[in-house]
Amino acid sequence: MNGLPNKVIILGSSALKIGEAGEFDYSGSQAIKALKEEGVFTILVNPNIATIQTSDHLADQVYFLPVTSYFVEQVIQKEKPNGILLGFGGQTALNCGLELEKSGVLAHFGVRVLGTPVEAILNTEDRELFVAKLRQIDVQTPRSFAVTDIDEAVNKACEIGFPVMIRIAFALGGLGSGLCRDESEVRELAQKALSYTRQILVEEYLLGWKEVEYEIVRDQYDNCLSVCNMENFDPMGIHTGESIVVAPSQTLTNREYHKLRAIAIRTVRHLGIIGECNIQYALDPYSEDYRVIEINARLSRSSALASKATGYPLAHVAAKLALGHSLTEVSNSITKVTKASFEPALDYLVVKIPRWDLQKFKQVSKRIGSGMKSVGEIMAIGRTFEEALQKGLRMLENGASGLVLNRHFDVTDIKKELAEPTDQRIFAIPAALKSGMTVDDIHRLSYIDKWFLYKIKNIVDIEEQLVTVGEQRCPCDLLQDAKQHGFSDEQIGRALGTTELDVRQLRRAYGLTPKVKQIDTLAAEYPAQTNYLYLTYNGAEDDLAFLERKSVMVLGGGAYRIGSSVEFDWCCVNSVMTLKELNYQTIMVNYNPETVSTDYDECDKLYFDELSFETVLDIYEKEKPIGVIVSMGGQIPNNLALRLDKAGVKLLGTSAGSIDNAEDRHQFSKMLDGLGIDQPEWRELADMDEAIRFGEAVGYPVLVRPSYVLSGAAMSVASTNEELKKFLNKASDISSDHPVVISKFIENAKEIEIDAVAQEGELLVYAISEHVENAGVHSGDATIVLPPQRTYLETTRRVKKIARQLAQILKINGPFNMQFVAKDNEVKVIELNLRASRSFPFASKIFKVNFIDIATRVIMGHHVPKIDRSAFDLEYVGVKAPQFSFTRLIGADPTLGVEMASTGEVGCLGDDFEEAFLKALLSVGYKLPIKNILLSTGPIESKAEFLPSTRLLQGMGMNFYATGGTASFMQANGITVTKLHWPLSEKKPNVNDYLETGKIDLVINIPKNYQEEELTNDYMIRRKAVDFAIPLFTNLQLARRFVEAISRKSIVDLQIKSWKEYL
Amino acid sequence: MERKRIKARLELEDSSVFQGYSFGAQTSVAGEVVFNTSMVGYPESLTDPSYYGQILVLTYPLIGNYGVPESKIVDGLDEWFESSRIQVTGLIVSEYSFDYDHWSAGKSLAQWLIDHNVPGLYGVDTRMLTKRLREEGSMLGRLLFFTENKSFYDPNKINLVAKVSVKAPIEYGDGDKKVILIDCGAKDNIVRCLLQRGLRVRRVPWNYDFTSEEFDGVMISNGPGDPKMCRETVDILRTAMQIEKPIFGICMGNQILSLAAGANTYKLKFGHRSQNQPCVEVGTKRCYITSQNHGYAVDGRTLPQGWAPWFVNANDSTNEGIRHLSKPFRSVQFHPEAAPGPVDTAGLFDDFKRLLI
């Protein structure tokens, strides 16, 4: 190696999406830290403004620009780095880097790819090269043959050996695929499949094989080791991102474990990987036969999980290795005395469980399988599988109290759920056991290893024992057994017919408390210098002494999910940083393995454990901190505020009473009335007739929010009596126990938000932003502009005034966020959150005023001077845009509504709105230039409203395509348009063909009403656009602003300016 | 699943007591308490003769998951095990998995322990126990049932090697080259590793003088206890060294070769028992992940002229191997034969074979 690079560009993974989430903020941040330690100048390209890696204290230069070859090339040209890291920003970064390499940009500018060479990456990315490469060293991959006729299919099937799978290459949703047990079945299925397509795949059948992964690191001196192995609870057939995963493996013998490990090391050496990679195996459950499924020659979701599971900082080490260091030179950052050249030994196990949000989407299939649909994950640590599993199920915050003793987790068709799993399969297992099915029966249907099923049976057995205790006092042995198997006090209370607090009391009377254990990478062989901690009931002593100290607990945000994501991690990490600066000992509680806040070097003590009332209180009682901050981690800690306060926990910041005043709809409303502050009319209703009467009285449309949701969307908009009835009948169980809240839905109004910090009731700093979309699009899905460009001064003045009034009356002492609807200068309050909000990092980074730093100082009682107003007098604009993951959610209707659907966001800067807006849209997948547009502009009012935009586009020389109504409307207005037939009609020219063959560059499809649910033609168009990755607008305002923007600017007008260059 | 739980306890010589429940034979025992941090391989570990006289604590909390394989004799050796019996005196775990599942399993770990009359304890905070052993050093302990009593017993005071070594020479394989394996308590996989490379193995007792026999190389095996108890082995080896045929030592073999060379050995505070010990080849940046099980070590500073340290532990800098600078004499403190553990250093057997002229 000739000299270390001194200037390195790092590509981020852009917005969070399904399959690429917070794990890359974690790995990117670690890489930057590692490079900085070496004195390397770092340049980061990542438009994900809510990430930690885009903080001012990390990379030397940050570009909030799209991670596409065009923009990265511009940055390279400007910054002239001599090295590039491709492995830390997921597939997005990798693909972009490969493109830059292929087009010769990297060579041209003398940028060297650090770490794994490009050739090795290509050998893992290209299936054929991969198989060939592995064959060279006799490593098995699944056998698969592409065939074009029936006889060939039969021949190949015989060669592979029965059973085989027949699949259609590139088919969505498994169309035409199936299992064949003998020759005649192959003939039958191949004939059918070949009628759809020219080519089919005959593949080895691996369904039900164990799925095992290894995380491997290798340095340029050929030192190579396995940091962690993991085993999927859900065997082959279910994507590893959709599987429950345990680390280390549980059902592998020494021979299996080390056979696969040795193959991994041999393969990684053969490929020439330098840094980190992940290797996935299928392992025959009845022999030591195996197949290598794939290798990811980059940091991945699994590597983030492995880092958290073991305490081995994979990304940090990988970055050091990329710079040319040897594993023997990098130190173990947990023990500080040992080196990175070792393999962690765990004396606990972890369970990862995916978090799905499928109920947020219309028409999406709930089946889980070979594609990824989950939006986040949790990791639970325990010393028994049962303990970790039950903790983990609670961590999902889906309403489950654990595996058993849940309310509303009924499985209707147990056998089907086991064999054709949805996101609820885990709950079907205890149900199956209770219904009399045996472990063998369940195994036959689900292929889940019996060892796991036995463990679940243990949980069911303990439940049964608890339930039979009856009136008498629960014996200590049983209570301990239950706690050791992960039962929460709430679950036990439910079984015993008492309350959670009663159980807590009984537990204390018996002296049963959880013990705190350290994760030390070496199973206690060496003392740990860091406090990476978890709680367990399978232990007799705490690993540490709790000395009285000036400590503060910060509650984290939990699993990433729709509505709560990396932005809260940013808030937590920043809060901890300020606390440290103020000389407090910091205690972080969180359990999301994809975060930076769960990095043990961010805080003094990290409790990788539940954010439940019980656990937080347990930690609080041990640590005796000054207090707890609940306003940084989003809604989970916010929801705990009142109960913690009642239990005697000292909350820091705004009081629990005030939080309750804002959260409780009735109290909040009364308060607003008292202050003369307007809000949309609403009512809490317990029966259908009342609901209809209210709807008619305030006038439709109305927003309906059930307090308890059975299935389907939680919130909805109804435009007529019929729609209201239909929704209430279908989605909710309306009764006095479960009332619905119905509020007036204000149409054609703007939505305004304020993010602010108040000190002792006095407004200290604030950011007012406007939505591009009209009110009605969830604020998490809206495109947000800061500072506002099209809001009346009078409106912002009113917003500020209301914020000031509420801060005062609620004695707000910390961060808060409010949302308003504004129409003709009339401002109505929709929501107040007495906590940091999703847009805090965005506001902080645009203004270069760290709201969280200020809030934390305020919360700790430090006086903060008012911020000079000139700080908010910007000469540039920030735009935040949502990222959707509809491609992954097969069948989901990609429209926007009152339920949030986006999985991530970006924030970009520009000298004016258009520039920032276009950068943001290009960052979330919109593409320029555009030549051919398919229009379907919805109801007549919106058709008319879009007409000026159509004319603008016409002026730019665009070709228009439209279906029926829109085409006639355009023709009537003198616009040339090619009329296409609806997808559901057989006639040509058909929209479908145009979409499928790349003849359309942009689809603008405005839905006709708020609650479109049928499989309509419009839905088909939208879905097709998503499936073929064609940019799509479904919101009128957004589409209009986009048209305006592209009429004024093209891609070359978008300036390549780093964050620092905006002053 | 109401299982009748039998209480038992582990007492250490520092008078601390760990309560637990029995899952093996109900018999009180005494020995030296040591811990192992491996996450897999309990059937292999438990049959490793180096554990003779020891009560083994496994730090990985879930044990018994995949049961214990059926016996299957291949080439005179039981394929899945490292010797024909359980060698540990007692076993301590956090959680014992009463239900097990694996295609290779023939019985449960509990049943296997009972068959061999070895007690097992579960429900113990093994991390707490391990930390104590780490801080205080390996200690004597006794595993007691009911009101039974048993005196503390220090296995290192006697010649443990004599207890586990074969009683008479055994021959394996029919290769052209013949290797003398000095059995100080050899793990069967050493024999398998040699057989797999087409070598003939003559496994001889620890105190058997083979020096007047025909052979092409000598391998000194692993074994339990203090190497200084094996005076006779050291003496025989010294004679063998004069013949100048290749010699390779493993674990105890490393210590015996060092003693024969004139270096010193000492007892480690709590030893190395795990599958993740990093060993750096001296003078290079190459590091190997190794499987280890030893309580004694070679003092690298006492190596006489003509000898050099070969490997050094990357964690605590203890000696992990020695080599003669001009003669084909080498040894390693770790286990290239693995079983259990990583197989990364298996190439050392190939190197050894290449030396056999």
Side-chain angles (χ1 to χ4, degrees), chain B residues 168-336:
Chain B
I170 306 173
E171 300 260 351
Y172 303 89
D174 51 7
D176 296 338
K177 300 274 187 255
K178 180 166 138 191
V179 174
I180 297 287
L181 172 62
I182 307 177
D183 182 359
C184 299
K187 282 161 70 185
D188 285 349
N189 212 41
I190 296 179
V191 181
R192 287 184 209 107
C193 285
L194 295 169
L195 292 178
Q196 279 156 15
R197 285 162 179 82
L199 298 170
R200 186 143 53 98
V201 180
R202 183 167 162 79
R203 182 179 193 165
V204 301
W206 68 286
N207 55 358
Y208 179 88
D209 189 350
F210 56 86
T211 50
S212 53
E213 295 180 8
E214 285 276 313
F215 63 91
D216 297 290
V218 180
M219 186 155 285
I220 322 153
S221 84
N222 63 297
D226 186 344
K228 287 177 183 165
M229 293 285 173
C230 304
R231 274 264 59 100
E232 293 163 77
T233 322
V234 172
D235 290 342
I236 293 165
L237 193 65
R238 280 209 181 110
T239 314
M241 283 161 78
Q242 285 161 14
I243 306 169
E244 299 203 0
K245 297 267 188 190
I247 298 174
F248 190 85
I250 292 173
C251 194
M252 170 74 86
N254 183 48
Q255 296 159 11
I256 286 177
L257 184 64
S258 297
L259 290 174
N264 198 15
T265 59
Y266 63 102
K267 191 169 196 293
L268 292 167
K269 193 173 175 190
F270 53 85
H272 292 161
R273 290 175 191 87
S274 59
Q275 297 177 11
N276 63 344
Q277 294 287 338
C279 295
V280 173
E281 189 170 356
V282 176
T284 72
K285 286 188 177 184
R286 280 304 299 275
C287 181
Y288 298 88
I289 304 299
T290 66
S291 181
Q292 302 202 5
N293 174 15
H294 61 108
Y296 289 81
V298 172
D299 185 347
R301 295 166 308 184
T302 61
L303 282 172
Q305 265 210 328
W307 293 82
W310 186 13
F311 291 95
V312 166
N313 191 295
N315 287 345
D316 64 6
S317 306
T318 56
N319 179 271
E320 291 287 1
I322 64 165
R323 64 190 176 91
H324 193 279
L325 294 174
S326 55
K327 293 172 186 168
F329 306 154
R330 295 182 163 206
S331 60
V332 290
Q333 188 59 55
F334 50 83
H335 291 266

Side-chain angles (χ1 to χ4, degrees), chain A residues 522 584 612 721:
Chain A
L522 286 161
Y584 294 102
S612 63
N721 280 347

Side-chain angles (χ1 to χ4, degrees), chain A residues 223 261 329 517 540 543, chain B residues 60 125 127 276 285 287 344:
Chain A
N223 291 313
R261 179 187 169 282
E329 295 164 348
K517 297 284 180 193
D543 270 351
Chain B
Y60 189 68
D125 185 343
R127 182 172 171 85
N276 63 344
K285 286 188 177 184
C287 181
D344 302 10

Side-chain angles (χ1 to χ4, degrees), chain B residues 37-59:
Chain B
T37 65
S38 303
M39 300 185 287
V40 286
Y42 54 86
E44 290 86 348
S45 287
L46 265 53
T47 51
D48 175 354
S50 292
Y51 282 114
Y52 187 80
Q54 294 177 328
I55 295 173
L56 179 62
V57 180
L58 295 178
T59 63

Side-chain angles (χ1 to χ4, degrees), chain A residues 418-493:
Chain A
L418 291 172
E420 298 169 18
T422 73
D423 53 348
Q424 300 292 311
R425 169 156 86 175
I426 184 76
F427 298 104
I429 299 168
L433 289 166
K434 287 178 202 173
S435 78
M437 285 173 72
T438 63
V439 160
D440 286 337
D441 296 336
I442 299 170
H443 171 72
R444 265 192 298 276
L445 288 167
S446 66
Y447 301 102
I448 296 169
D449 194 280
K450 282 188 230 167
W451 184 82
F452 292 112
L453 299 174
Y454 287 127
K455 294 287 165 188
I456 287 177
K457 187 167 178 300
N458 288 343
I459 296 175
V460 173
D461 289 343
I462 292 175
E463 176 194 6
E464 201 182 296
Q465 290 175 48
L466 286 170
V467 171
T468 50
V469 165
E471 296 289 295
Q472 45 179 320
R473 188 168 134 122
C474 180
C476 182
D477 272 6
L478 178 56
L479 191 57
Q480 181 173 23
D481 214 19
K483 295 308 281 184
Q484 288 180 333
H485 288 79
F487 283 76
S488 68
D489 288 352
E490 189 192 12
Q491 267 175 302
I492 297 169

Side-chain angles (χ1 to χ4, degrees), chain A residues 750-755 767-773 779 782-791 796 839 842-843 846-847 874 876-882 906-908 910 912-914 916-917 920 1038 1041:
Chain A
K750 277 189 89 69
E751 197 165 328
I752 316 279
E753 280 192 59
I754 184 167
D755 290 313
I768 294 173
S769 53
E770 69 185 7
H771 292 191
V772 169
E773 297 84 353
S779 69
T783 310
I784 292 177
V785 190
L786 183 70
Q789 304 293 303
R790 290 192 175 183
T791 302
T796 54
S839 34
F842 175 65
I846 299 296
F847 281 141
L874 302 184
Y876 54 88
V877 180
V879 171
K880 181 163 98 75
V906 297
C908 295
D912 53 27
F913 167 78
E914 277 84 20
F917 181 60
L1038 197 66
R1041 296 295 284 272

